[in-house]
């Protein structure tokens, strides 16, 4: 995908952000959701809040990565 984006004329800094935001966002969203539903659900309110925050931040990073991609966002 890196070469495909380069061939499409996407600058290197934008390709890096697509990958970085995508990877970090996916880890935060999946990990936060797993912690929220499997570990902290109805047992620890603060843990649920932190996990929900991780899901929201991860989803936001995934959305930014999606919007940076030239073919997906268009």
């Amino acid at each position: 995908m890196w070469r495909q984006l380069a061939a499409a004329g996407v600058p290197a800094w934008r390709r890096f952000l697509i990958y970085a935001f995508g990877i970090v966002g996916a880890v935060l969203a999946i990990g936060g959701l797993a912690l929220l539903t499997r570990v902290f659900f109805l047992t620890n309110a603060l843990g649920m809040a932190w996990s929900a925050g991780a899901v929201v931040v991860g989803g936001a990073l995934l959305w930014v990565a999606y919007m940076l991609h030239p073919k997906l966002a268009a």
Side-chain angles (χ1 to χ4, degrees), residues 29-51:
I30 293 169
L33 187 62
L35 286 173
L36 178 66
T37 58
R38 305 279 178 168
V39 177
F40 295 124
F41 189 67
L42 297 180
T43 59
N44 185 342
L46 187 60
M48 286 176 59
W50 276 104
S51 299

Side-chain angles (χ1 to χ4, degrees), residues 10-36:
V10 178
W13 67 269
R14 193 168 174 178
R15 285 180 276 165
F16 174 77
L17 287 179
I18 290 170
Y19 274 95
F21 286 175
I23 292 169
V24 172
V27 169
L28 280 175
I30 293 169
L33 187 62
L35 286 173
L36 178 66

